[in-house]
Amino acid sequence: MDLDVVNMFVIAGGTLAIPILAFVASFLLWPSALIRIYYWYWRRTLGMQVRYAHHEDYQFCYSFRGRPGHKPSILMLHGFSAHKDMWLSVVKFLPKSLHLVCVDMPGHEGTTRSSLDDLSIAGQVKRIHQFVECLKLNKKPFHLIGTSMGGHVAGVYAAYYPSDVCSLSLVCPAGLQYSTDNPFVQRLKELEESAAIQKIPLIPSTPEEMSEMLQLCSYVRFKVPQQILQGLVDVRIPHNSFYRKLFLEIVNEKSRYSLHENMDKIKVPTQIIWGKQDQVLDVSGADILAKSISNSQVEVLENCGHSVVMERPRKTAKLIVDFLASVHNTDNKKLN
């Protein structure tokens, strides 16, 4: 073989080896950085742009796609200790014609975190309303979606700002009162009584605890490599003290601002989505909501746990699109 050809293959091989070695090094040494790059790439691929909005000295971080039009805009509120990018798996299956906005909840990711901030559900509802006002999102009523803690906030928001919201999707929302405690809630009460609150299952500090949390929240058993588990922990550990404070605030809240106390005030068409095998918030919550919200419909997903958005993103997106079409008398084809 000609020497120049051999040299060409050597150079080409070396060029390819550099990004491969960089990827392997990142995976082994800096998995948290790799996770951030992954989300950045996914946002870019899906056309989601990151922006910041300010209310006085408070900063909101959000991502969006599309522009307001004749169809309702969609505001998406994530759950406890998550961030705006958790919605990307659903965004992937939503029509590009829709105007989507995913915001980091108060104190999460790029949104301001302050020790003086009110972390109660009432405080979070107030902050989200400030965000809505900043973007003038309520210039026309929008569709509001929330999951878990975000569902709690979304439900109370719809009750207190009815003119802002034209329809609502609650995905296994928190904030309801049950006649009996499920094993997860029983475990939380035992931890609180024994003063072992540092061991809250939803706030992992080791790869093993992260794996246990994923099993708690998901019916589907994801096979996650140890390095990725470590990366997920590394991303969260700097924020764990905040998560504990927030968790205790919302779990112990028994005010008039809870979803349970306000569900009968929700008058907009409401979609309730729940995983049948939810171990965190019992699926019976769907019936509790349906009995109090007159204009509601329930969708219970088989073989699905608490992390509905992650486990069944395609189905979730389809349910949302079908619901919007039925409520706003819009043909599904017009949403695509």
Side-chain angles (χ1 to χ4, degrees):
M1 185 180 291
D2 189 275
L3 185 60
D4 290 337
V5 176
V6 173
N7 288 336
M8 180 184 71
F9 276 108
V10 170
I11 293 171
T15 303
L16 288 172
I18 292 173
I20 292 173
L21 289 173
F23 174 84
V24 172
S26 297
F27 182 76
L28 295 176
L29 302 176
W30 305 289
S32 59
L34 195 62
I35 290 170
R36 291 189 176 92
I37 292 171
Y38 168 76
Y39 281 125
W40 171 83
Y41 177 77
W42 204 4
R43 284 197 305 268
R44 186 178 179 87
T45 300
L46 295 175
M48 296 292 287
Q49 301 178 57
V50 176
R51 293 289 186 274
Y52 296 89
H54 295 85
H55 174 80
E56 298 176 350
D57 60 346
Y58 195 87
Q59 174 180 279
F60 296 96
C61 181
Y62 68 99
S63 60
F64 77 98
R65 186 175 75 185
R67 295 182 177 181
H70 67 278
K71 296 182 287 290
S73 297
I74 299 178
L75 175 60
M76 312 172 89
L77 308 182
H78 65 74
F80 172 78
S81 77
H83 47 76
K84 60 186 176 298
D85 292 332
M86 71 158 287
W87 291 107
L88 292 176
S89 56
V90 173
V91 168
K92 177 182 178 180
F93 299 107
L94 289 174
K96 292 184 178 180
S97 61
L98 293 174
H99 176 223
L100 308 176
V101 179
C102 306
V103 64
D104 284 327
M105 296 293 282
H108 290 72
E109 197 75 6
T111 291
T112 296
R113 177 180 301 171
S114 169
S115 59
L116 302 177
D117 215 11
D118 181 1
L119 299 177
S120 68
I121 295 301
Q124 293 191 60
V125 169
K126 180 180 177 181
R127 284 299 188 191
I128 294 301
H129 184 62
Q130 291 171 353
F131 172 71
V132 167
E133 293 277 310
C134 285
L135 266 61
K136 294 181 171 58
L137 200 60
N138 55 353
K139 190 173 183 180
K140 176 182 176 182
F142 57 87
H143 180 70
L144 182 58
I145 304 175
T147 183
S148 197
M149 181 193 76
H152 192 171
V153 174
V156 176
Y157 188 103
Y160 276 81
Y161 299 100
S163 62
D164 284 8
V165 180
C166 61
S167 49
L168 178 68
S169 290
L170 300 176
V171 185
C172 47
L176 298 176
Q177 295 174 19
Y178 297 86
S179 56
T180 58
D181 295 332
N182 67 7
F184 171 70
V185 174
Q186 291 174 10
R187 182 181 175 191
L188 286 181
K189 289 183 176 180
E190 291 171 0
L191 288 174
E192 192 170 8
E193 290 172 0
S194 63
I197 207 63
Q198 297 292 321
K199 294 294 183 180
I200 298 172
L202 296 179
I203 308 177
S205 56
T206 67
E208 292 72 26
E209 290 176 358
M210 175 61 71
S211 180
E212 290 174 5
M213 188 193 78
L214 293 176
Q215 290 182 32
L216 171 69
C217 294
S218 306
Y219 175 79
V220 177
R221 290 295 177 254
F222 298 106
K223 294 182 179 179
V224 184
Q226 184 74 8
Q227 287 300 319
I228 295 299
L229 291 172
Q230 183 64 60
L232 292 171
V233 169
D234 292 343
V235 168
R236 295 168 62 103
I237 277 183
H239 313 292
N240 276 358
S241 60
F242 166 77
Y243 292 150
R244 289 190 186 94
K245 181 181 177 181
L246 172 61
F247 186 84
L248 293 174
E249 181 79 37
I250 58 180
V251 165
N252 294 323
E253 183 174 25
K254 293 181 175 65
S255 73
R256 60 191 180 92
Y257 287 100
S258 73
L259 177 57
H260 197 91
E261 293 297 323
N262 289 279
M263 55 187 174
D264 60 334
K265 298 177 184 176
I266 299 174
K267 305 303 180 184
V268 296
T270 301
Q271 176 184 49
I272 303 160
I273 304 175
W274 221 295
K276 189 173 183 179
Q277 284 73 32
D278 192 334
Q279 299 179 75
V280 178
L281 299 170
D282 195 82
V283 67
S284 61
D287 289 332
I288 295 174
L289 286 169
K291 289 176 181 177
S292 294
I293 304 175
S294 56
N295 192 0
S296 64
Q297 62 183 56
V298 175
E299 302 286 351
V300 175
L301 305 186
E302 295 282 350
N303 302 322
C304 184
H306 186 64
S307 300
V308 173
V309 172
M310 303 299 293
E311 293 182 77
R312 304 290 290 281
R314 185 191 295 270
K315 180 65 175 178
T316 302
K318 184 179 186 306
L319 289 173
I320 292 169
V321 169
D322 289 348
F323 178 69
L324 288 173
S326 66
V327 168
H328 302 291
N329 297 316
T330 306
D331 192 325
N332 273 354
K333 293 180 180 178
K334 294 181 181 179
L335 291 171
N336 294 317

